[in-house]
Amino acid sequence: MSRLQVSEKVPISCNMVTFLSRRLLLDRRRARKYLYIVSAIILLSLIVLIFTNRSETKPETPTEQWNISPKKKCNILIMIISTPKNSKNRDLLRFNSYLGYPWVYNRTDVNFEHVFILGKTKDKDVNDLALREAVKHGDIAIGNFEDSYNNLSEKVIWGFNYALRNFDFKFCVKVDEDSFINMAFLAAHLRQVDSSALQSYYAGKPRQGDLTLPKAGKFRIESGELNGMDKYVQYNLGGGYILSQPSMTKILAAHRLKAVEVVAWEDVYIGLLANLINIKPTRIYHYYVSKFHPFCTDVKTILLHHTPPDLQARMLSFYNKEGIYCPKDLPEDEVIDLINSQDVIDWRAF
């Protein structure tokens, strides 16, 4: 009886082993399948997450992208504050004024780059034209902010960030469209700057005279609006000032601290930030942040503000022939008429 029981149990045990083996193999296959499915889901989720983050932070224009190419290296970077609609002025500056003029005539090694800083307007057509111009010339940076007078400080700070990301420069000259520069004289002046001064170099035309806050007019500042102060700190006027790369870096760091209130007038705001970190404005002679005449009579003029690009182009034509910007012995109205009678020259032909 015991033998019979044993003999009957043997095939049952073999069947169980076979069944369990098959079940285990099937479970492994299922587990592997599930693993593949889970891995695919995780990978797909990561891909979606990556592209979602990219789409959220994607710049709206090519000029806002992080620069992945090597920085452009130059001794002097000219950062020109412009507006989207002023394409004609930018072309005059590129081809007919100081950006296009062959300063090699003076046998001066002028190593410089330039960039126009723009914001955006509410007019889509104007923005699209500016974008096409940026793609064509490669010298425009467009920030994702409203291009307005009240945003001027934000615009300049954005421009500083762009400059440091995309250029390796020694000096940056911040100017307006209506600022004329003699690049040969500027380069000669900056070559004389001592290396020890580079850590805090902030030069131009310091505001002079009464520093009391104006209570009326375009530049009116209400009591307490300027960080509780009743007077300006000393600052360089916005028609044109120069920062070394270390000074610009420090000013941006001071801006991020938010220790001073942002004000609309960027030259005042930059002066506030510079004062916060003990960077003092210094004066450059033959550097006129004032009207065109009578300072055009100075043959050593480095910078001249309040000179529209069209007048710059004609003035430079006169300079190219006579070696001076305008004659000394004529009254202002005759000087203006003489300069306006000059041809606009496309310096690319020279």
Side-chain angles (χ1 to χ4, degrees), residues 78-249:
I78 309 297
M79 192 179 89
I80 306 161
I81 304 303
S82 185
T83 60
K85 65 180 181 179
N86 287 0
S87 59
K88 182 180 179 181
N89 282 348
R90 289 189 289 273
D91 274 346
L92 282 166
L93 291 172
R94 288 185 187 105
F95 309 127
N96 311 111
S97 188
Y98 67 93
L99 295 179
Y101 184 78
W103 294 104
V104 70
Y105 282 179
N106 295 358
R107 298 182 180 179
T108 304
D109 180 20
V110 182
N111 175 20
F112 76 96
E113 296 282 349
H114 74 273
V115 61
F116 294 98
I117 303 298
L118 280 61
K120 295 181 179 179
T121 71
K122 296 178 181 179
D123 189 328
K124 184 179 182 300
D125 292 338
V126 172
N127 292 334
D128 289 345
L129 286 173
L131 179 56
R132 285 199 285 273
E133 183 187 351
V135 172
K136 178 181 178 180
H137 294 290
D139 62 356
I140 293 177
I142 304 174
N144 191 22
F145 51 82
E146 182 182 358
D147 198 301
S148 68
Y149 183 79
N150 289 333
N151 274 350
L152 192 52
S153 290
E154 179 185 353
K155 186 175 183 177
V156 169
I157 290 293
W158 187 91
F160 287 175
N161 275 299
Y162 182 88
L164 290 172
R165 286 202 309 265
N166 293 277
F167 295 90
D168 181 9
F169 58 89
K170 191 173 182 180
F171 300 99
C172 178
V173 188
K174 178 270 165 187
V175 292
D176 297 335
E177 285 181 352
D178 61 343
S179 299
F180 170 79
I181 304 174
N182 184 311
M183 293 303 304
F185 291 167
L186 175 66
H189 171 82
L190 292 177
R191 278 196 294 270
Q192 299 174 10
V193 176
D194 192 274
S195 58
S196 62
L198 293 180
Q199 291 302 312
S200 59
Y201 191 77
Y202 169 43
K205 177 73 171 178
R207 180 185 171 93
Q208 297 176 332
D210 186 11
L211 294 176
T212 303
L213 300 183
K215 302 301 181 182
K218 179 180 178 181
F219 301 104
R220 181 183 71 255
I221 297 181
E222 301 295 338
S223 179
E225 187 177 345
L226 196 64
N227 299 283
M229 297 185 295
D230 59 357
K231 287 189 176 182
Y232 290 117
V233 299
Q234 194 69 256
Y235 65 92
N236 284 318
L237 296 171
Y241 52 81
I242 307 172
L243 289 168
S244 62
Q245 188 173 135
S247 291
M248 183 181 289
T249 302

